[in-house]
Every structure is written in structure tokens, then in C-alpha cells.
Amino acid sequence: MKKISILFRHSPYGNAASREGLDLALLSASFEQEVSVIFIGEGLLNLLPNQQPQLSGVKDYIATFKAMPLYDIESVLVCEQSLAQLGIGINELSLDCESASAALISHHLTLSDEVLVF
Amino acid sequence: MNLHHIQTSAYTDNALSLCLRYYGVDDAILLAGDAINCLLDVNWQTQLQGKTLYLLESDMLSRGLKTKLENSLNSSHITVIDYAGFVSLSLQFSKVITW
Amino acid sequence: MAPNSGAFLSFMSQFIIQVNGSVYGSFASVSAFHFCQAALAQGHRIHKVFFYQDGVFNANQLTCPASDEPNLHQQWLTLATDHNIALVNCVSAALRRGIVSAQDTTENGLQSVNCAPQFTMGGLGELITGIEKADRLISF
């Protein structure tokens, strides 16, 4: 078992990075890795409620983010600096997450065995 | 001890600026491909001050940037490496984070 | 835990390589290829190159650059054969992008095949088990 951190840094719909990162996060967890997911920069836009992905011509993969706790992805961090920058409150997000300082995220990356960025 | 691997230009992608936000004291940054272009820019030179930097030689030479980057390279915190050096670095650091 | 001491460096390490960039027009795949060559030259082992996202385009056997241009698809095939490296495509990423094996063609009632037979179609589980087995994952 390895400690794997998956970072989301891209907004949804502009490209498939978040969708394919989510696939990997869920699969890693089902392969019994210790998985953390971290939302930074525009990546946290994946967690906004009331999205309508079909209007952008893509499958609603956004709803699947809510399944992360079922897959035993315990640690969901959101960069507090990015939240402030984009004017989004932690309570507005569609998922229970922990607001994390840059220093905490940095520490988390150091403790991970591998980090994959999407 | 992370090696942050940046492959994209700082002018078209925020990979480098995000990586700087989470840069730890024992970390280093490897600039590859278009990521090396930012070293031409005084503002970026300032932002990267105090960071341990590696630069992929083939990407600098392919872009004709060797002379242009001479001043930056004289600064002690930048080391020019080839792919063999990249392989060695990837083993010296505890992991490589590709942004 | 991945070995991390200086003393270990003289020994052989195991790498898994992840390629997310296309066969043409992206720097990532070229860079991954150079990294693989350098690692093998140092005596390290690369047990798998896993192609995800746009990386799956590297499997396209219809890739047809002009004769005076590098053919990265062909270079991957040669490297894999010479060094016994598994080339694995993420099957769902490949199907979405129209990279199909003979089996996918049959299963989906398609007209043609473009995935080179040296590339196998696998699930993301292959990436995870590869990461577990390797000392280092290097993504491009």
C-alpha cells in the first residue's frame, strides 16, 4: 500500500484532466491505496454545487466526486489560499473538505509516496 | 524532499506558480521544455530566488537560449543537467511531482 | 518505502513511467522517451510505460510523419522490444479518443484498428499495481 495524493488543479469542462484524475482517485482507493485528494487553484471549481455539465456537452462526472467518501478516500483538502482568491467559502462546496494552508498541503505532499497532478 | 517537474511555460500555465506555493524547504524545481523560458524574465528570476533550480540542457540549447540565460546561470542556485542527471535526481529526491 | 539513501544510487532502480502527452505536438512524450533512454543506459529497469489522457495517442500505428521527421510511435515500439518494457494504454482513455485494439473493434462494431499490437489495453489498476511495484513513478 502506498500513500498516493491526487491533486486537481484544472477547472472542469475546459479539458478532461479533472474527469480522468477522478477516475484515478477512485480506482486507487478501490485498489486499497491510502488516497488523498487535494483541490488547488481552479481545481476547486469541480466542487461547486448546482453544476450542469450536460450544458457543456460532457457527462456528469461531477456528481461522482460526492462518491469519494464511499471509496474510503478519507482526506479531502482544499487550498485555503485558492478559496480566498476565487471568493468561495469552504461551506459552499458540495463535499465535506478540510481547508488547508499552503504549508499543510506542502507537508502532505512530503508525506505522500507519490503525487499525481491533474 | 520533492523534485517539482515543470514542463509548461509559466506564461500559458500556472503549474510553476502553484508549485512555488507548496514548495518545501528541501525541495527543488526542474525546469524542462517551455518551463525554462521564464528565466529570461526578471520578475520570474526574482520569484525563483532562493529556490534550488535545475534546468534541462537540451531544452535550453534547442531554444537557442544558452547565451540569453548566461547571467541567470551564473547564479549559484541553478544547475544545468542532461537526462542522465534527471534520472539521478529522481532517485536522490524522495519523489518527482510533475505539475 | 522507496529507497532514498545515497548508497542505494549505485544499484538498479525500478521505474514506472506515465505519459499523458500526445505522440505529436506535445513535449511530454518526447521528454518521457529521453528519460527512459537515460534510465536504461544507467542500468535501471523500466517495467512499464503507462499511457493516460492524451498519452494514448502514442499507440496509434497509423502515425505517419514525413520520412525526415522523428517517429515517436516507432521509437516507443523499438525501445519496448529492446528492453522488454510493457507499453500499456488506459483502455477507457483510449476508447474515448478513438484508439482501438482489434478486440475493441470487434466489441464495438467498428471498422478498423489503429492501436499497435505491442501496446496492450489495460485498466488504471495497471498503473496502481505498477506504482506499488516501482521505486519511482515519473510522469510526463
Side-chain angles (χ1 to χ4, degrees):
Chain A
M1 187 177 80
K2 287 198 172 178
K3 288 193 180 74
I4 297 179
S5 288
I6 299 183
L7 265 69
F8 293 88
R9 70 174 183 94
H10 286 103
S11 58
Y13 319 133
N15 56 51
S18 298
R19 193 253 164 108
E20 296 190 309
L22 176 61
D23 285 349
L24 183 62
L26 298 180
L27 197 107
S28 308
S30 67
F31 271 65
E32 300 188 344
Q33 307 299 307
E34 198 177 320
V35 179
S36 305
V37 295
I38 307 174
F39 295 87
I40 62 172
E42 286 179 292
L44 59 88
L45 297 180
N46 284 290
L47 300 180
L48 279 185
N50 305 319
Q51 297 194 42
Q52 300 179 66
Q54 65 281 6
L55 296 180
S56 285
V58 300
K59 180 188 156 177
D60 185 7
Y61 71 93
I62 294 291
T64 315
F65 276 108
K66 293 178 198 154
M68 290 194 300
L70 302 175
Y71 283 79
D72 284 332
I73 296 176
E74 300 282 342
S75 175
V76 182
L77 303 180
V78 177
C79 173
E80 67 179 16
Q81 205 171 319
S82 307
L83 283 167
Q85 194 175 7
L86 298 176
I88 298 170
I90 186 88
N91 296 328
E92 290 179 55
L93 302 179
S94 60
L95 195 69
D96 271 343
C97 346
E98 184 188 342
S99 172
S101 66
L104 184 69
I105 292 175
S106 172
H107 182 63
H108 199 91
L109 298 182
T110 300
L111 295 181
S112 306
D113 292 318
E114 297 293 356
V115 176
L116 294 101
V117 183
F118 287 91
Chain B
M1 250 192 111
N2 303 317
L3 180 64
H4 299 276
H5 173 212
I6 310 290
Q7 316 179 90
T8 50
S9 167
Y11 299 102
T12 55
D13 187 20
N14 66 352
L16 180 59
S17 54
L18 280 175
C19 130
L20 284 175
R21 187 184 292 173
Y22 312 111
Y23 181 96
V25 276
D26 297 322
D27 292 359
I29 299 171
L30 169 61
L31 299 172
D34 286 343
I36 69 176
N37 298 346
C38 72
L39 292 174
L40 293 163
D41 182 331
V42 180
N43 290 326
W44 273 108
Q45 288 168 15
T46 310
Q47 287 197 62
L48 293 169
Q49 208 96 61
K51 307 288 187 284
T52 308
L53 295 181
Y54 296 92
L55 186 61
L56 261 186
E57 184 179 40
S58 50
D59 295 328
M60 173 178 71
L61 297 178
S62 68
R63 286 163 176 73
L65 290 178
K66 190 175 184 204
T67 322
K68 298 296 292 178
L69 292 180
E70 225 144 49
N71 285 338
S72 296
L73 296 180
N74 286 335
S75 117
S76 57
H77 65 289
I78 304 184
T79 310
V80 178
I81 59 166
D82 58 9
Y83 273 93
F86 184 1
V87 172
S88 305
L89 275 184
S90 74
L91 294 166
Q92 281 164 38
F93 284 83
S94 44
K95 66 186 151 302
V96 179
I97 302 177
T98 299
W99 289 82
Chain C
M1 282 298 283
N4 188 27
S5 74
F8 184 83
L9 296 179
S10 55
F11 293 88
M12 189 189 80
S13 293
Q14 289 262 2
F15 286 95
I16 178 166
I17 307 296
Q18 183 190 207
V19 179
N20 295 318
S22 182
V23 68
Y24 183 76
S26 137
F27 164 71
S29 182
V30 180
S31 189
F33 182 78
H34 288 150
F35 183 94
C36 289
Q37 282 185 313
L40 294 164
Q42 286 181 32
H44 300 301
R45 170 101 178 92
I46 294 167
H47 62 86
K48 191 181 289 175
V49 182
F50 189 87
F51 296 87
Y52 196 36
Q53 300 185 274
D54 285 352
V56 297
F57 288 119
N58 288 276
N60 190 348
Q61 63 186 358
L62 306 181
T63 307
C64 202
S67 58
D68 60 347
E69 285 185 46
N71 186 336
L72 190 53
H73 167 75
Q74 198 58 51
Q75 288 175 308
W76 281 120
L77 296 185
T78 308
L79 191 81
T81 307
D82 291 352
H83 298 277
N84 193 26
I85 301 168
L87 302 174
V88 182
N89 259 350
C90 170
V91 62
S92 43
L95 289 178
R96 287 172 196 144
R97 290 168 175 85
I99 300 293
V100 291
S101 68
Q103 192 190 334
D104 302 322
T105 296
T106 310
E107 284 176 9
N108 295 283
L110 303 173
Q111 301 298 314
S112 53
V113 174
N114 60 357
C115 180
Q118 294 91 334
F119 281 73
T120 56
M121 292 288 193
L124 281 170
E126 291 229 21
L127 174 60
I128 305 304
T129 52
I131 290 173
E132 276 205 300
K133 190 174 152 194
D135 299 307
R136 288 288 186 284
L137 161 74
I138 315 290
S139 301
F140 292 87

